[in-house]
Amino acid sequence: GFFNLRFNSCLYFFLSIQLTMMQKIEIKNGIIVDGSGSDSYIGNVYLADRQIIAITRGEELSSDISIDATGKIVSPGFIDLHSHSDFSFLLDSSAQSKLRQGVTMELLGNCGFSLCAPLNKYTKEDFFSWISEYTDQFDITWSDFAGYIAASKKAGSTINLAFQVGHGTLRAAVMGYEDKTPSAIELAQIKNLAGECLDAGALGLSTGLVYSPGTYSRTDELISVAEEVSKRNKLYSTHQRDEGNDSVGLYVSLNEAIEVGRRAGCKVQVSHVKCDSKAVWGTAEKYINLLESANKEGLDIAGDQYPYNRWSTSLAGGLFPIWAQSGGREETLKRMADEDQRAVMIDDLNTLFDRRKGPQAVMIGRYSEDESFEGKNLVEIAEIMQTNPAEAALRLYQNSDPVIIEDGIIDEDIEKFVKHPLIAVASDGNSVSKEGILSAGKPHPRFYGTNPRFIEKYVNQKKIVSIEEAVRKMTSLPAERIGLTRRGRLTPGFAADIVIMDLPNVKENSTFLDPHQYPSGITHVIVNGEIAIEDEKFTGKISGEMITDFNS
């Protein structure tokens, strides 16, 4: 009796697993846009065991679940090359803002900051500074990159996560925030730490050369560290040193990125391509010519963009002069307390406002110290404080470093990049949610609407690109940039990451003053063969994987 009971229980368990593995999903009669850029066609897609098992043009196979996609686009899941969701899923594994856009994978750790690893006395300060915008109660259970990936896997996520290690984080871990050139020993430590993180599962290295401490590095340092990427055939992505005319200028900066790729022998991804500030508006063609010239030379360099005129970052990172940030936040506060240095900072801020669209173009997106300032620009805040906008910016920073959103890009440049085949679509945003811990503040609408906006504005309304090209920019192009071999196209054997959209009704919905709005028209999203969005509703499935090698 006991043996039969045990045998029957085991048999039932085995059969239940087999049934789950054998469960097939049919997506029937959809307009298949396969991610390659090829023409669409009507067909059926079949999924089982977390992968695509067949695509037919009429022939029907047996299935357990059938989704009627008549009249709808069926495409691969979108891959967000530029994300800052480093701790999003550690706080809420069900974060939905990217998922509901059709994003099934994010590449984290951009702009030189892998905020969650590696962690030591310097980088922990950064971690807690960022996470404090959401919670002041979080226990870190890791210190190295492998531990961070393990913690992310344990927490779970609605979408697939891939990782980069940030050069700024590495530099801070070894040297702190001093404005100096690393010694030979320090450079070796940075390189060794980069290698450890890449070997632990990071698929690339990112730099943020406009931010402290990355901005203190010289080109030779970047090339030396990027050699660790080249050895492993991984990606070097860069927030270039200047995207306008704040320091060395946009084109000196772009040439530096190209030179790193040339001398380190690595693949280069230029992050959130833009022409930001009056001096470089209308020069997108020149930018594109430089990219094309580098590729003709034999280099592998491309870019990504978000389809908005406004960008977002921290107040200090976006506005403060670099000299004022040397040594970290405490040193900046000391300089602000010095009457003479404060006056110089104010002069520098006013000069910057003149080069851009003025202080009225700078809106506060997140300021946990006083949420009433969220959604207001620096002119409005200065009126409340009864001071000038530059002084208002310093007073805001006195308590914390708020998130700002600034209008700085023109449509003419955006649209030229939209058309170009080397420029992928990416959000530069976090995975967040309408409810719960990740619903704080007024984040940039790109957190919720990047991909739907690109489709709504540039495919449906302006007809600048076809739906086939738009999908390629969101799927196979980013997959190729990362080096993925099983994602980004609708092909048998590839991972079952699928988007179904009602193309004419794809709409962003999120706005700058009311950003916490999910898009519409993305009817189904399937992640690793699990239906996560069904008829525009979240099913609760947490089926994302940690992507730590190219074949994942």
Side-chain angles (χ1 to χ4, degrees), residues 367 370-376 384:
Y367 190 55
D370 187 345
E371 294 180 353
S372 70
F373 287 147
E374 294 172 357
K376 293 183 172 64
I384 293 169

Side-chain angles (χ1 to χ4, degrees), residues 55-243:
I55 299 175
T56 68
R57 299 197 187 206
E59 181 188 359
E60 293 185 20
L61 308 179
S62 62
S63 63
D64 303 297
I65 298 171
S66 183
I67 300 171
D68 184 2
T70 302
K72 295 178 180 176
I73 302 292
V74 180
S75 80
F78 304 150
I79 297 172
D80 189 347
L81 264 177
H82 192 99
S83 165
H84 290 282
S85 300
D86 298 57
F87 52 73
S88 292
F89 297 100
L90 298 173
L91 296 176
D92 179 3
S93 62
S94 66
Q96 298 168 49
S97 68
K98 297 288 186 69
L99 175 70
R100 286 175 177 265
Q101 294 183 53
V103 172
T104 57
M105 177 177 165
E106 293 184 282
L107 181 63
L108 315 180
N110 280 284
C111 294
F113 296 104
S114 47
L115 293 169
C116 296
L119 295 177
N120 65 8
K121 65 178 182 178
Y122 293 114
T123 55
K124 273 185 180 179
E125 291 179 14
D126 279 340
F127 176 87
F128 283 116
S129 174
W130 281 87
I131 210 166
S132 67
E133 293 297 324
Y134 298 98
T135 180
D136 57 4
Q137 295 183 346
F138 187 90
D139 293 326
I140 300 174
T141 59
W142 69 91
S143 60
D144 61 8
F145 217 90
Y148 165 49
I149 294 174
S152 297
K153 184 175 183 179
K154 182 178 179 182
S157 61
T158 51
I159 62 178
N160 302 303
L161 304 180
F163 306 85
Q164 293 181 110
V165 60
H167 162 259
T169 300
L170 297 174
R171 201 178 204 271
V174 172
M175 302 170 56
Y177 288 84
E178 294 301 316
D179 181 359
K180 66 176 185 179
T181 301
S183 66
I185 293 173
E186 288 169 332
L187 182 57
Q189 289 174 332
I190 293 170
K191 292 185 67 167
N192 288 339
L193 195 51
E196 286 177 19
C197 296
L198 292 165
D199 291 340
L203 296 186
L205 169 81
S206 74
T207 56
L209 304 180
V210 73
Y211 300 119
S212 171
T215 191
Y216 306 132
S217 60
R218 306 296 182 261
T219 307
D220 284 347
E221 176 188 334
L222 303 177
I223 293 165
S224 183
V225 181
E227 287 170 351
E228 298 301 315
V229 178
S230 181
K231 289 175 189 175
R232 297 160 175 85
N233 197 29
K234 294 189 175 183
L235 182 67
Y236 171 80
S237 64
T238 182
H239 179 145
Q240 58 189 85
R241 200 175 292 274
D242 194 349
E243 295 175 320

Side-chain angles (χ1 to χ4, degrees), residues 98 100 126 162 199 236 293 305 330 346 414 433 513 516:
K98 297 288 186 69
R100 286 175 177 265
D126 279 340
D199 291 340
Y236 171 80
S293 176
Q305 71 169 150
E330 291 306 313
I346 287 174
I414 292 172
S433 282
L513 293 180
H516 293 288

